C-alpha cells in the first residue's frame, strides 16, 4: 500500500481520531475532519503524480487583546483556532514549486527567480515567493515541491487566512528541507516578511506569530527581532463560556489605506517625540503634550496613540486574569478593549463609507441580545469583517439564531483554541 493510500485508510478507519481530536478539539466535527483529510488526499492524487506524500497543517488565529499594538512593538494576546489550512505535499527534484489551492489555478514558481515583482503584489504567488525568499535569506534550505492546499479559515473574516497560508508554506519547507527545525518564531517572521514586502500589506507580526506558535499566546514585541512569547493554558469551556466570531460579510477590498493609516498615525506621534515607535514613548509625555499633538498631527493621531498605551495595559490585565482563572476580570478587559477600538482607535467602520457599518450593527445586536451576559468587540484589523463574542455556553444557540437573522446562515461560528500551531501530521 502506498503512503497516500495508507494515510487515507488511517483517516477513514478512525485510527487518526485521537490525533484529530487533539488538534481540533470539537467532537461534533470529527466526521467532517476525517472526510476533509481523505478528500484532500484524493484531490492531490487527481492533480499530481506520486504517492509518497506528507501532510501539514497551520491554523487561523483569533486576536484576544492588543488591537493594533503589535506594529508599535507593543503587547498582544492571541489564540490559534481550530480552523486551519492543510496541505498534502511532496518534494520535487526540479527547482520549481507547484501549489493548487482549493479550486484555484495552479501557481508555479521558478526557484531561480524569487525577485519581488510589483505586478504580483496581492497574489498567492507573492506570498509563496516571499516565504521562499525569506527562508533563503535566512540561510535555510529550500527546494521544489508540489502541494494541494485546502482551507476552512474564513477568508476576509479577520482570522488571518493569509497568515495561516504563509505559516503552512513555511511549515512545508521546514518539514521537507530542514528536518522541522525552523522555529515557529522564525516561520512567523518570514511570513510577515512575505506579506509586507512581496504581498504589499503593512501588517504587524501578531497574525503570523499566533498561527505559527499555537494555543493562547502572550507576545511582547519590545524587541521585534526577539519577541517574548508565553503560552497560556486556559480552557474557555471549563468556565462555562464559548468563543465565537460572526462574519458580518463586509468586504476588505479597498481598505488598505485605512489599515495603513493606523500605524502611520501612531508612528507620527512617536516621531513627534523623536522616536520610531510608540513603545519608546512615555504615556505621561503624550498626556502633557495633548494640545501640541492636536495642533500638529490632528485629533485622530492622538486618540489612536492613546488607544495603544491603554491597550497594552489591558493585555497585561487579560493575561493576569487568565493565569488566575478569573473569567469575569478577563471579560471586563475584553469589553473595555472593544470600547477603546470603537472610540479611540476608530477601526469599526470605514470613514470613506460611513453608510455601511456592518460591525457596528453586529455589536449592537450583541449588546441587545446578551445584555450583561456576555461581551463582544471588533475582531482583528477592523473596518469590515468580523466581531468576536464571549458568551455563556448555554446562550450560544439563541445568540447564533438572533445574529444570523441579520448576517445569514452560518455567519456565526463557535471556535476552539487549538493547542498547536504549524504542524506536521505524521503516520
Amino acid at each position: 500500500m502506498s503512503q497516500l493510500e495508507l494515510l487515507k485508510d488511517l483517516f477513514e478507519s478512525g485510527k487518526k481520531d485521537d490525533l484529530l481530536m487533539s488538534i481540533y478539539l470539537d467532537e461534533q466535527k470529527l466526521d467532517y475532519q476525517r472526510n476533509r483529510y481523505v478528500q484532500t488526499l484524493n484531490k492531490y492524487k487527481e492533480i499530481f503524480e506520486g504517492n509518497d506524500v506528507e501532510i501539514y497543517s497551520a491554523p487561523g488565529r483569533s486576536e484576544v487583546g492588543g488591537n493594533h499594538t503589535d506594529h508599535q512593538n507593543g503587547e498582544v494576546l492571541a489564540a490559534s483556532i481550530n480552523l486551519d489550512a492543510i496541505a498534502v505535499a511532496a518534494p520535487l527534484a526540479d527547482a520549481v514549486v507547484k501549489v493548487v489551492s482549493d479550486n484555484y489555478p495552479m501557481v508555479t514558481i521558478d526557484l531561480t527567480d524569487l525577485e519581488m515583482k510589483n505586478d504580483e503584489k496581492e497574489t498567492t504567488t507573492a506570498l509563496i515567493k516571499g516565504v521562499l525568499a525569506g527562508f533563503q535569506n535566512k540561510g535555510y534550505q529550500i527546494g521544489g515541491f508540489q502541494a494541494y492546499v485546502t482551507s476552512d479559515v474564513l477568508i476576509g473574516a479577520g482570522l488571518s487566512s493569509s497568515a495561516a497560508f504563509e505559516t503552512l508554506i513555511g511549515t512545508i519547507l521546514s518539514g521537507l528541507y530542514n528536518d522541522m527545525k525552523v522555529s515557529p518564531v522564525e516561520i512567523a517572521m518570514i511570513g510577515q516578511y512575505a506579506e509586507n514586502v512581496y504581498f504589499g500589506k503593512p501588517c504587524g507580526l501578531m497574525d503570523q506569530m499566533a498561527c505559527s506558535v499555537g494555543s493562547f499566546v502572550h507576545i511582547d514585541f519590545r524587541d521585534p527581532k526577539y519577541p517574548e512569547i508565553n503560552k497560556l493554558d486556559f480552557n474557555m469551556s471549563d468556565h462555562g463560556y464559548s468563543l465565537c466570531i460572526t462574519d458580518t460579510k463586509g468586504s476588505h477590498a479597498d481598505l488598505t489605506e485605512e489599515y495603513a493609516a493606523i500605524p502611520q498615525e501612531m508612528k507620527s506621534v512617536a516621531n513627534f517625540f523623536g522616536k520610531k515607535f510608540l513603545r519608546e514613548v512615555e504615556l505621561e509625555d503624550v498626556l502633557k503634550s495633548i494640545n501640541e499633538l492636536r495642533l500638529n498631527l490632528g485629533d485622530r493621531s492622538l486618540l489612536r496613540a492613546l488607544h495603544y498605551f491603554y491597550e497594552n495595559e489591558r493585555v497585561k490585565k487579560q493575561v493576569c486574569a487568565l493565569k488566575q482563572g478569573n473569567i469575569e476580570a478577563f471579560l471586563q478587559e475584553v469589553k473595555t478593549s472593544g470600547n477603546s477600538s470603537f472610540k479611540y482607535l476608530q477601526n469599526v467602520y470605514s470613514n470613506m463609507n460611513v453608510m455601511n457599518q456592518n460591525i457596528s450593527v453586529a455589536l449592537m445586536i450583541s449588546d441587545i441580545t446578551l445584555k450583561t451576559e456576555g461581551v463582544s468587540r471588533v475582531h482583528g484589523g477592523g473596518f469590515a469583517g468580523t466581531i468576536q463574542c464571549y458568551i455563556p455556553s448555554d446562550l450560544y444557540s439563541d445568540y447564533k439564531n438572533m445574529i444570523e437573522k441579520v448576517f445569514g446562515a452560518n455567519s456565526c461560528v463557535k471556535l476552539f483554541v487549538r493547542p498547536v500551531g504549524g504542524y506536521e501530521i505524521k503516520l
Side-chain angles (χ1 to χ4, degrees):
M1 184 181 293
S2 70
Q3 188 172 14
L4 188 148
E5 293 299 327
L6 178 58
L7 283 165
K8 280 178 57 179
D9 180 67
L10 289 171
F11 286 112
E12 286 178 328
S13 65
K15 293 178 182 177
K16 283 292 185 182
D17 283 2
D18 288 345
L19 175 62
L20 292 175
M21 278 299 298
S22 71
I23 297 172
Y24 299 104
L25 308 173
D26 189 352
E27 189 171 6
Q28 293 183 358
K29 290 193 173 182
L30 197 52
D31 284 342
Y32 161 76
Q33 293 296 352
R34 283 194 210 106
N35 293 332
R36 180 178 177 231
Y37 274 81
V38 170
Q39 290 169 8
T40 303
L41 287 159
N42 284 335
K43 193 68 177 178
Y44 175 93
K45 190 173 181 178
E46 288 177 16
I47 299 169
F48 298 112
E49 295 182 354
N51 293 304
D52 189 12
V53 299
E54 298 179 12
I55 303 178
Y56 297 90
S57 162
R61 72 96 181 98
S62 182
E63 172 197 285
V64 180
N67 198 209
H68 281 282
T69 55
D70 55 335
H71 48 65
Q72 297 305 301
N73 298 356
E75 298 186 40
V76 301
L77 178 63
S80 64
I81 58 173
N82 61 330
L83 302 177
D84 69 343
I86 61 174
V88 177
L92 291 174
D94 296 333
V96 63
V97 168
K98 300 177 180 180
V99 177
V100 176
S101 296
D102 289 314
N103 295 317
Y104 291 95
M106 182 182 293
V107 173
T108 303
I109 295 172
D110 182 350
L111 295 183
T112 64
D113 180 20
L114 296 181
E115 293 287 327
M116 188 276 290
K117 298 177 181 177
N118 286 324
D119 61 357
E120 292 176 345
K121 288 197 171 185
E122 299 188 10
T123 67
T124 301
T125 297
L127 290 179
I128 299 172
K129 283 180 69 172
V131 174
L132 288 162
F135 264 69
Q136 193 173 66
N137 293 343
K138 286 182 174 288
Y140 293 115
Q141 296 297 312
I142 65 171
F145 67 87
Q146 59 190 25
Y148 175 72
V149 176
T150 186
S151 176
D152 61 9
V153 182
L154 304 176
I155 296 173
L159 298 175
S160 295
S161 56
S162 60
F165 183 78
E166 294 151 14
T167 299
L168 183 66
I169 297 299
T171 305
I172 291 170
L173 289 170
S174 180
L176 294 181
Y177 291 105
N178 296 275
D179 299 320
M180 285 301 287
K181 291 182 179 178
V182 185
S183 74
V185 172
E186 286 276 68
I187 289 174
M189 295 176 75
I190 290 169
Q192 184 200 24
Y193 167 79
E195 192 148 347
N196 287 175
V197 177
Y198 277 70
F199 191 80
K201 181 179 177 181
C203 69
L205 186 56
M206 177 185 69
D207 296 352
Q208 290 81 5
M209 197 68 75
C211 292
S212 188
V213 173
S215 191
F216 273 107
V217 58
H218 173 216
I219 312 168
D220 188 340
F221 292 110
R222 181 184 294 276
D223 183 349
K225 291 184 179 180
Y226 303 99
E228 182 180 335
I229 301 164
N230 292 292
K231 283 190 174 185
L232 302 171
D233 183 16
F234 185 86
N235 190 329
M236 197 71 61
S237 60
D238 287 347
H239 296 265
Y241 277 81
S242 295
L243 165 62
C244 63
I245 59 104
T246 296
D247 182 1
T248 70
K249 314 299 183 184
S251 173
H252 285 80
D254 302 321
L255 289 174
T256 298
E257 288 186 15
E258 294 270 25
Y259 293 127
I262 293 177
Q264 288 169 359
E265 291 177 13
M266 287 184 176
K267 286 182 179 181
S268 72
V269 175
N271 296 160
F272 180 87
F273 295 99
K275 305 296 183 181
K276 189 174 181 180
F277 300 104
L278 285 176
R279 187 62 180 262
E280 302 166 346
V281 178
E282 296 295 329
L283 172 60
E284 291 76 11
D285 291 334
V286 175
L287 295 175
K288 290 176 183 177
S289 305
I290 286 177
N291 290 335
E292 297 168 80
L293 289 167
R294 293 184 67 194
L295 179 64
N296 287 277
L297 302 177
D299 290 344
R300 193 171 71 172
S301 294
L302 168 65
L303 292 168
R304 284 177 163 171
L306 289 174
H307 164 84
Y308 162 83
F309 287 105
Y310 291 112
E311 186 76 349
N312 257 3
E313 294 305 309
R314 277 187 288 271
V315 169
K316 292 184 175 72
K317 292 176 182 178
Q318 286 179 322
V319 170
C320 182
L322 291 181
K323 287 181 177 179
Q324 295 173 353
N326 189 339
I327 188 70
E328 289 80 13
F330 168 74
L331 293 177
Q332 180 57 46
E333 295 305 324
V334 171
K335 181 178 181 179
T336 306
S337 173
N339 288 339
S340 181
S341 292
F342 207 142
K343 292 189 291 187
Y344 308 125
L345 184 61
Q346 299 179 24
N347 68 331
V348 171
Y349 58 87
S350 170
N351 288 315
M352 295 184 289
N353 189 11
V354 296
M355 297 307 293
N356 289 308
Q357 297 192 29
N358 290 25
I359 291 177
S360 303
V361 172
L363 294 172
M364 175 196 68
I365 294 170
S366 300
D367 288 346
I368 292 172
T369 304
L370 299 176
K371 299 182 175 63
T372 61
E373 296 298 316
V375 298
S376 59
R377 66 190 283 271
V378 62
H379 181 257
F383 300 111
T386 62
I387 67 163
Q388 180 187 73
C389 186
Y390 298 85
I391 181 172
S393 297
D394 59 353
L395 297 180
Y396 172 72
S397 294
D398 290 343
Y399 175 76
K400 178 179 174 68
N401 290 335
M402 181 64 72
I403 205 155
E404 288 188 350
K405 288 179 181 178
V406 177
F407 296 106
N410 302 315
S411 58
C412 183
V413 179
K414 184 186 292 187
L415 301 176
F416 291 80
V417 177
R418 166 174 156 151
V420 293
Y423 193 74
E424 179 184 3
I425 310 292
K426 296 185 178 179
L427 281 172

